[in-house]
Amino acid sequence: AGNYTTGSGATTCTLTFATAFVTAPTCVIVGPGAAVVVPTYTTSTTAITVSVDIASTAYAYTCVGH
């Protein structure tokens, strides 16, 4: 679990896990309010790759391993 804030011109970002998972985890990303569009993302054993929809926005994420 953690938080991140996109940059003013961000289009994508990668959140690298401190310790790799054996299989890709299930992750959820949420924004600060109901009006914020949640970005599209994919997960791997080592990171979440996020396609940022809104620049300069704070998000929270959590992942659960299988």
Side-chain angles (χ1 to χ4, degrees):
N3 299 298
Y4 70 97
T5 301
T6 59
S8 61
T11 55
T12 63
C13 69
T14 300
L15 308 169
T16 303
F17 302 129
T19 303
F21 288 86
V22 175
T23 59
T26 299
C27 298
V28 175
I29 297 176
V30 295
V36 174
V37 175
V38 176
T40 302
Y41 59 93
T42 58
T43 59
S44 69
T45 58
T46 59
I48 304 171
T49 303
V50 183
S51 299
V52 178
D53 292 324
I54 301 174
S56 302
T57 303
Y59 293 96
Y61 66 91
T62 188
C63 298
V64 178
H66 299 277

